[in-house]
Amino acid sequence: MSEPLRVAQIMGKWLGGGVESVVMNYYRNIDRSSVQFDFICDSDSTDIPYDEIKALGGEVYLVSPYQKVFAYRKALVKLFREKKYQIVHSHLNTLSVFPLSAAKKAGVKIRIAHSHSTTNKKEWKKNLLKQILRPWSKVFANNYFCCSELAGRWQFGNKAYDEGKVFLLRNSIDLEKFRFNDDLRKSKRKELGIPEDVFVVGHIGRFMPQKNHSFLIDIFKSLHEKDDKTLLVLAGQGPLFEDIKNKVEAMKLSDSVMFLGQRNDVSEIYQAFDVFVLPSLYEGLPVVIVEAQGTGLKCLTSDKVSMESKISDDLDFISLDGIDLWTDRILALRNYQRKDNFEVCTNNGYNIKKNAENLLEKYNALLGEN
């Protein structure tokens, strides 16, 4: 029996974010007898699931953080040559220029740049770097992937997208795992100590500027003043965690905001929510929105999030201009009845079982072309 193809997945800093979740979803569901993933991560990563990756047959290789560009590229060139990868698949958005330049130098035939996000003017420093690097996105890559049309057009340009040169690989999930289950909802709320008559506003995401947690706290403050039987549940970690926690304390909301930290049971956490709120400054196509809709939750997100995120009638977009807009919409959902969205999400292309097969076919097609 021949050895499976090994694909180098360039992850950057593994910090428990959405991109890592997406790649692991594909890895768990792809035919691993045909293809295996090796994960190339920065040495300052914090949440790499070593045991699971090893159990699935993969390897993890740590390299210098990408901020140390020369050491980073040198380590990658050496690794790519030693392992003789035929495919390097980078998930670093515009920063993919660095690992893919190393891949080209090492003679890797198939070099994939994968766009998972866009940008926003409020993060002008980060935006400036993205804008500088964006023209380089196609210099060292010879294949382009994206999670959404918006992300694909933003990074690779309208011409490339319209000519069919960008492969759309949706942020798919295991829909069976996220299917709404009322018994699980009750047991999870009991485990978390949440009474049945409390209305839970939920959010899952890294504590970083893009996710706009500060605005979310302002929304909840207004909501809680109008209805004190409300609870905000936040899952995730990140550089702004302590800042947001301090803001909650300053607003005297500590008894009404629950910080869960990084979790490995997010499919169950969604079950405990009554509404999912994502006031992001920008997104490509966030996996949390797919997951939340998969559980039948009513979802409210900012109009800065890709319209492609709407895969069911349970998602509404709201402007970031006013807190009352959000508060009123949330209050109106007090008696919202969740439903089973399995078929809807499957029909709209978000079933990981099918899309993992599509990814394997794409890898094989690229090998055939080369």
Side-chain angles (χ1 to χ4, degrees), residues 296-318:
L297 268 172
K298 187 64 181 179
C299 304
L300 303 179
T301 189
S302 79
D303 58 5
K304 303 300 181 183
V305 176
S306 168
M307 294 297 168
E308 297 165 79
S309 299
K310 188 176 180 65
I311 57 179
S312 74
D313 292 335
D314 289 322
L315 176 61
D316 292 337
F317 298 92
I318 305 177

Side-chain angles (χ1 to χ4, degrees), residues 51-121:
D51 291 343
E52 182 181 8
I53 290 171
K54 185 176 181 180
L56 294 175
E59 299 287 347
V60 176
Y61 297 102
L62 300 180
V63 295
S64 296
Y66 62 73
Q67 288 91 340
K68 300 177 181 178
V69 175
F70 296 108
Y72 179 71
R73 286 191 73 253
K74 183 179 180 181
L76 287 178
V77 171
K78 183 174 183 289
L79 180 63
F80 294 156
R81 284 174 174 166
E82 285 179 356
K83 299 300 175 182
K84 296 182 173 60
Y85 291 113
Q86 297 182 71
I87 301 177
V88 169
H89 188 160
S90 178
H91 301 273
L92 306 189
N93 301 314
T94 55
L95 289 170
S96 290
V97 61
F98 300 119
L100 295 183
S101 67
K104 186 171 183 179
K105 184 176 181 180
V108 178
K109 294 179 180 179
I110 301 166
R111 304 178 299 277
I112 301 169
H114 197 143
S115 177
H116 290 274
S117 188
T118 56
T119 190
N120 180 272
K121 62 184 179 181

Side-chain angles (χ1 to χ4, degrees), residues 264-334:
N264 57 12
D265 59 346
V266 290
S267 62
E268 298 178 6
I269 297 297
Y270 285 111
Q271 305 283 347
F273 296 166
D274 291 301
V275 59
F276 184 80
V277 180
L278 185 75
S280 296
L281 298 177
Y282 62 92
E283 297 279 0
L285 200 160
V287 68
V288 290
I289 279 293
V290 179
E291 292 172 345
Q293 288 177 88
T295 62
L297 268 172
K298 187 64 181 179
C299 304
L300 303 179
T301 189
S302 79
D303 58 5
K304 303 300 181 183
V305 176
S306 168
M307 294 297 168
E308 297 165 79
S309 299
K310 188 176 180 65
I311 57 179
S312 74
D313 292 335
D314 289 322
L315 176 61
D316 292 337
F317 298 92
I318 305 177
S319 167
L320 290 172
D321 291 338
I323 289 172
D324 288 341
L325 289 171
W326 292 78
T327 304
D328 292 344
R329 292 296 291 276
I330 293 171
L331 283 172
L333 297 172
R334 252 299 190 175

Side-chain angles (χ1 to χ4, degrees), residues 161-221:
Y161 197 91
D162 289 336
E163 291 177 351
K165 294 179 179 178
V166 185
F167 179 67
L168 177 60
L169 186 69
R170 300 190 187 280
N171 289 349
S172 307
I173 62 171
D174 184 342
L175 289 168
E176 194 62 57
K177 181 179 178 183
F178 285 86
R179 207 167 192 166
F180 177 58
N181 182 309
D182 193 53
D183 289 336
L184 181 56
R185 168 188 164 80
K186 290 174 181 174
S187 65
K188 203 64 184 179
R189 286 175 75 109
K190 184 176 180 181
E191 176 190 322
L192 295 172
I194 302 173
E196 271 303 308
D197 63 343
V198 170
F199 187 76
V200 178
V201 178
H203 173 93
I204 296 175
R206 275 183 43 75
F207 285 77
M208 55 196 298
Q210 172 190 355
K211 302 299 180 182
N212 211 7
H213 282 88
S214 183
F215 185 69
L216 178 55
I217 301 304
D218 292 336
I219 293 169
F220 184 72
K221 172 72 171 175

